[in-house]
Amino acid sequence: MTTFTTTIQSMYTLQQPDQDYVVNVLYEVTGVDGTNTASIGGNTTFNSADQEGPVTPYASLTEAQVIGWIPESAITSAQACVQGQLDSLANPPVSPANTALPWSQA
């Protein structure tokens, strides 16, 4: 079973419509399957026209709150990519080998 965590790496702000208004969030989704760890980064942009409810002052934001702004589909997609990485680490894909032609061996 894989345990996934999402962490905020950085936030970009503008000074409008409010001071330190968050317009872009960079995040990382990490998965741990007990043996291997894999991660992938992502980012989400925000538009003040889509703002719902009151604006939380920047200094009062929590990581959990900001993670809640990221579309669930983006996190689910990132988790699927991380799971694919973990699956490849646990069971490396078989790669074909470039084998010398049998009639050209010296």
Side-chain angles (χ1 to χ4, degrees):
M1 173 184 259
T2 302
T3 302
F4 293 102
T5 56
T6 301
T7 54
I8 301 300
Q9 303 299 305
S10 59
M11 297 192 297
Y12 292 84
T13 62
L14 291 175
Q15 299 310 306
Q16 56 189 3
D18 294 290
Q19 183 178 5
D20 294 327
Y21 188 85
V22 178
V23 294
N24 193 329
V25 172
L26 276 62
Y27 60 91
E28 183 174 65
V29 173
T30 302
V32 178
D33 67 4
T35 303
N36 298 302
T37 300
S39 63
I40 189 170
N43 76 77
T44 298
T45 57
F46 306 103
N47 184 327
S48 62
D50 299 329
Q51 174 72 38
E52 294 179 9
V55 173
T56 303
Y58 188 86
S60 298
L61 291 173
T62 65
E63 185 173 37
Q65 182 180 11
V66 175
I67 290 170
W69 297 346
I70 301 168
E72 187 176 333
S73 60
I75 292 178
T76 301
S77 177
Q79 288 175 344
C81 290
V82 169
Q83 187 63 58
Q85 292 175 38
L86 290 169
D87 292 347
S88 291
L89 289 168
N91 298 301
V94 177
S95 297
N98 183 1
T99 307
L101 299 172
W103 56 85
S104 65
Q105 293 183 10

